[in-house]
Amino acid sequence: MAFFRELGDRVVGAPSILSADFAHLADEVYRAEQGGAKLVHFDAMDNHFVPNLTVGPMVAASLVRAVNLPIDAHLMVENPDNLIQPFIEAGVTSISVQPEVVRHLHRVLVMIQDGGCEAGVALNPTTPPEAIEWALPYLDYVLVMSVDPGFGGQSFIPEMADKVRRVREMYGLPVEVDGGISPETAPIMVEAGAQVLVAGSAVYKGDPTTEMRRIIESFHKAR
Ligand code: DX5
Ligand code: ZN
């Protein structure tokens, strides 16, 4: 299964279900899909790496069965090793991990790719792109965090546009951005080279179909 490797030069929107109504997850995804979403961003948090707790592979497996869009798992957990196989078996398409807390990054990335998923790293705002230089052969995409991981609804960190530019120049891999993405900030990130725009609160603060469409239109105008 490939999503990032088949992106080409497309730019797409992805709802982060962190801000959705968890009692109606499949419907919340469907409504964002109606607004043009091409990927679902699934945030797993462990109350250790980040001070928040969300959902894991069991919920991912249910969601995979219930929706048509591919699912991208973002693991904000201290010890992702034990969760890679369960997420692969859940049927997600891609998995990103936080290099700040992964002790053996090579092994984890290889595990993801060997399981047939695409592998990504999610860089905290102050983690330099250079930190992943030697992981490049085992990466399919880079996720640039434009807020500190842990919560939806935080303010966009503007310097992260320069980081997207740097990651694109250094590695040429597709860049996903996550945090504070809205119709105001999405065009800035697309202009910098981002291709997957994750938005949580901006999509689910209102009607997800309308809000997703608004974000996608904002960056299409910017291209
Ligand atoms: C934050 C998560 C994001 C979150 C973004 O740690 O990784 O995916 O849902 O939320 P917004 O779009 O509200 O900043
Ligand atoms: Zn995320």
Side-chain angles (χ1 to χ4, degrees), residues 127-179:
T127 302
E130 287 77 6
I132 54 166
E133 186 180 350
W134 289 86
L136 185 62
Y138 313 99
L139 283 177
D140 298 294
Y141 63 104
V142 177
L143 171 48
V144 172
M145 290 303 298
S146 35
V147 298
D148 290 305
F151 299 96
Q154 302 180 83
S155 300
F156 177 74
I157 303 172
E159 301 84 57
M160 293 305 108
D162 287 337
K163 193 177 194 176
V164 169
R165 233 170 249 119
R166 179 86 64 86
V167 169
R168 285 291 297 163
E169 277 164 20
M170 287 178 76
Y171 303 126
L173 287 172
V175 173
E176 177 177 16
V177 288
D178 182 12

Side-chain angles (χ1 to χ4, degrees), residues 11-211:
V11 180
V12 301
S16 168
I17 56 161
L18 184 65
S19 293
D21 177 355
F22 274 72
H24 302 99
L25 267 193
D27 188 49
E28 294 275 74
V29 167
Y30 177 73
R31 293 172 71 195
E33 185 181 5
Q34 295 306 101
K38 299 289 183 221
L39 182 74
V40 180
H41 185 81
F42 186 103
D43 289 303
M45 302 185 185
D46 68 347
N47 184 37
H48 289 274
F49 174 58
V50 293
N52 201 354
L53 186 65
T54 59
V55 285
M58 288 192 296
V59 175
S62 297
L63 199 59
V64 166
R65 286 193 291 271
V67 303
N68 297 317
L69 292 179
I71 296 184
D72 169 48
H74 175 195
L75 307 193
M76 284 159 281
V77 303
E78 237 167 47
N79 183 8
D81 304 42
N82 303 330
L83 289 174
I84 301 300
Q85 202 54 41
F87 267 108
I88 290 168
E89 283 164 22
V92 304
T93 308
S94 51
I95 302 174
S96 64
V97 294
Q98 299 270 166
E100 300 85 2
V101 281
V102 178
R103 201 165 282 167
H104 304 290
L105 186 59
H106 170 267
R107 187 163 61 210
V108 167
L109 296 175
V110 168
M111 223 188 286
I112 296 170
Q113 290 186 329
D114 283 354
C117 286
E118 293 185 298
V121 283
L123 301 177
N124 270 356
T126 57
T127 302
E130 287 77 6
I132 54 166
E133 186 180 350
W134 289 86
L136 185 62
Y138 313 99
L139 283 177
D140 298 294
Y141 63 104
V142 177
L143 171 48
V144 172
M145 290 303 298
S146 35
V147 298
D148 290 305
F151 299 96
Q154 302 180 83
S155 300
F156 177 74
I157 303 172
E159 301 84 57
M160 293 305 108
D162 287 337
K163 193 177 194 176
V164 169
R165 233 170 249 119
R166 179 86 64 86
V167 169
R168 285 291 297 163
E169 277 164 20
M170 287 178 76
Y171 303 126
L173 287 172
V175 173
E176 177 177 16
V177 288
D178 182 12
I181 300 300
S182 68
E184 287 69 47
T185 57
I188 300 169
M189 291 308 233
V190 170
E191 217 243 310
Q195 288 184 266
V196 177
L197 285 289
V198 174
S201 51
V203 170
Y204 290 105
K205 68 174 188 193
D207 169 49
T209 304
T210 311
E211 301 303 334

